[in-house]
Amino acid sequence: MAIISKSSEYGLRAALYIAARPVGDYVSIGEMSQKLGISFHFLTKILQKLTQGGLLKSRRGAKGGIALAKPADTISLLDIVENVDGADLFGGCILGLVGCGVKRPCPLHQHWSRERTRIEAMFRKMTLQRLACETARNQLRLAD
Amino acid sequence: MAIISKSSEYGLRAALYIAARPVGDYVSIGEMSQKLGISFHFLTKILQKLTQGGLLKSRRGAKGGIALAKPADTISLLDIVENVDGADLFGGCILGLVGCGVKRPCPLHQHWSRERTRIEAMFRKMTLQRLACETARNQLRLAD
DNA sequence: TCCAATTAAGACAATGATGTCTTATATTAG
DNA sequence: CTAATATAAGACATCATTGTCTTAATTGGA
Ligand code: FES
Ligand code: FES
């Protein structure tokens, strides 16, 4: 089951990696690529998207890298995955029918929409700030 | 967000279609393919898998088709999606890390595993019987 | 100024999921 | 038996995602 795409996974892990660093730090993509075990060029593309989306900011050249564009408590996981995977990530029918909730619902709509709402709420509620905190306190991992 | 694969979507829709018919009826793949708007050959492959998995049974030749292999109240949606997508469908890390729950957890594990369990429980609890009932009573749809 | 480090951008390849087609096999009806 | 109907099996094609590579542009420091 892949709730989010690989691209989103990578984007989240990188964002959490940056959030764990001192505020304002520019982290190089090369370092993240190495520490997180993600292809450098692929990660670059994903972070470019997040930069263009206004969630991160970048600086080229020596001492350059990627930093958060806003305070970590104002960036939610939902912001990130929707920026990468598209804004209607949580809007589709679980059976793949077009227009979930618009036309007649499918047999699973009632049951699925409840779970879906909970998941979306979780993504919305979780900020980089909060997760970075928990990660440090509980020694959680961002790589295999 | 695609919780399940297209193959699973098609398998579920076909199973629900069969469950809505009189018990023991063999429904031809051609009919389902047409009514559900699914490629005939693709649907055939999926139903073969479910047949080999013991959830459906098939009969070749004239008057042949696909039928449920067991009473509709003993086939859960989980049975179907796990048969199609693999048994560890609900076991993966949301960040794609290997060994969810085995090694140190990832920052989202605590939050995600709770939701994941709920979704799996929903799939386990929902039987073809129950959904076919609700579908008939509330005029729900299985196609676009 | 010049060099090293670093992101930006886009072409291109590899992979896996999805979809199509052809041939073989089995069953029923006449 | 024969013809019509239907699934079984597997080769093959298409597509979106993922991953790789090359070149250009920018920045800071020796
Ligand atoms: S119509 Fe299927 S989940 Fe909403
Ligand atoms: S380790 Fe990431 S969800 Fe379990």
Side-chain angles (χ1 to χ4, degrees):
Chain A
M1 172 172 46
I3 282 281
I4 58 180
S5 66
K6 273 256 174 274
S7 296
S8 269
E9 288 174 8
Y10 294 164
L12 282 181
R13 287 167 61 201
L16 288 168
Y17 187 90
I18 297 171
R21 299 284 291 269
V23 175
D25 246 34
Y26 279 80
V27 187
S28 87
I29 301 178
E31 175 188 339
M32 290 189 277
S33 151
Q34 197 165 21
K35 292 288 181 57
L36 299 177
I38 302 172
S39 148
F40 171 80
H41 294 287
F42 194 28
L43 183 56
T44 296
K45 282 198 298 194
I46 298 161
L47 295 179
Q48 265 174 43
K49 205 168 183 181
L50 289 169
T51 298
Q52 287 159 359
L55 297 169
L56 305 178
K57 58 185 174 184
S58 68
R59 200 167 57 186
R60 291 208 267 199
K63 298 284 178 77
I66 308 284
L68 302 186
K70 308 187 292 180
D73 60 357
T74 67
I75 303 179
S76 71
L77 300 193
L78 188 66
D79 292 332
I80 294 174
V81 300
E82 286 196 331
N83 191 88
V84 175
D85 280 346
D88 56 349
L89 177 64
F90 291 98
C93 169
I94 196 174
L95 291 183
L97 306 184
V98 301
C100 168
V102 176
K103 304 179 183 180
R104 274 182 306 160
C106 78
L108 278 169
H109 181 85
Q110 174 188 2
H111 311 287
W112 167 240
S113 63
R114 187 169 30 215
E115 304 304 324
R116 185 176 59 182
T117 300
R118 287 176 56 100
I119 299 173
E120 186 175 5
M122 183 196 89
F123 272 83
R124 191 191 310 280
K125 186 168 53 182
M126 292 291 157
T127 65
L128 293 183
Q129 167 82 65
R130 171 169 173 184
L131 284 174
C133 262
E134 294 182 1
T135 300
R137 185 165 45 222
N138 303 342
Q139 297 197 318
L140 306 176
R141 64 174 169 146
L142 285 173
D144 289 339
Chain B
M1 172 172 46
I3 282 281
I4 58 179
S5 66
K6 274 257 174 270
S7 296
S8 270
E9 289 174 7
Y10 294 164
L12 283 181
R13 288 167 60 200
L16 288 169
Y17 186 91
I18 296 171
R21 300 282 292 267
V23 175
D25 246 34
Y26 280 80
V27 187
S28 87
I29 302 177
E31 175 187 338
M32 290 189 277
S33 151
Q34 197 164 23
K35 291 289 180 55
L36 299 177
I38 302 172
S39 148
F40 171 82
H41 294 287
F42 193 28
L43 182 56
T44 295
K45 281 199 298 193
I46 297 162
L47 295 179
Q48 265 174 44
K49 204 168 184 182
L50 289 170
T51 298
Q52 287 159 359
L55 297 169
L56 304 179
K57 58 185 174 183
S58 68
R59 200 166 57 184
R60 292 208 267 200
K63 298 283 178 78
I66 309 283
L68 302 186
K70 308 189 292 180
D73 60 358
T74 68
I75 303 179
S76 71
L77 300 194
L78 189 66
D79 293 331
I80 294 174
V81 300
E82 285 196 330
N83 191 88
V84 175
D85 281 345
D88 56 349
L89 177 63
F90 291 98
C93 168
I94 196 173
L95 291 183
L97 306 184
V98 301
C100 168
V102 177
K103 304 178 184 182
R104 274 182 306 160
C106 78
L108 277 170
H109 181 85
Q110 175 187 3
H111 311 288
W112 168 240
S113 64
R114 187 169 29 215
E115 303 304 325
R116 185 176 58 183
T117 301
R118 288 176 56 99
I119 299 173
E120 186 175 5
M122 182 194 92
F123 272 84
R124 189 189 311 281
K125 186 169 54 183
M126 292 291 156
T127 64
L128 293 183
Q129 168 82 68
R130 173 170 171 185
L131 284 174
C133 262
E134 294 183 2
T135 300
R137 187 165 45 222
N138 303 345
Q139 297 197 317
L140 305 175
R141 64 173 170 146
L142 285 172
D144 289 339

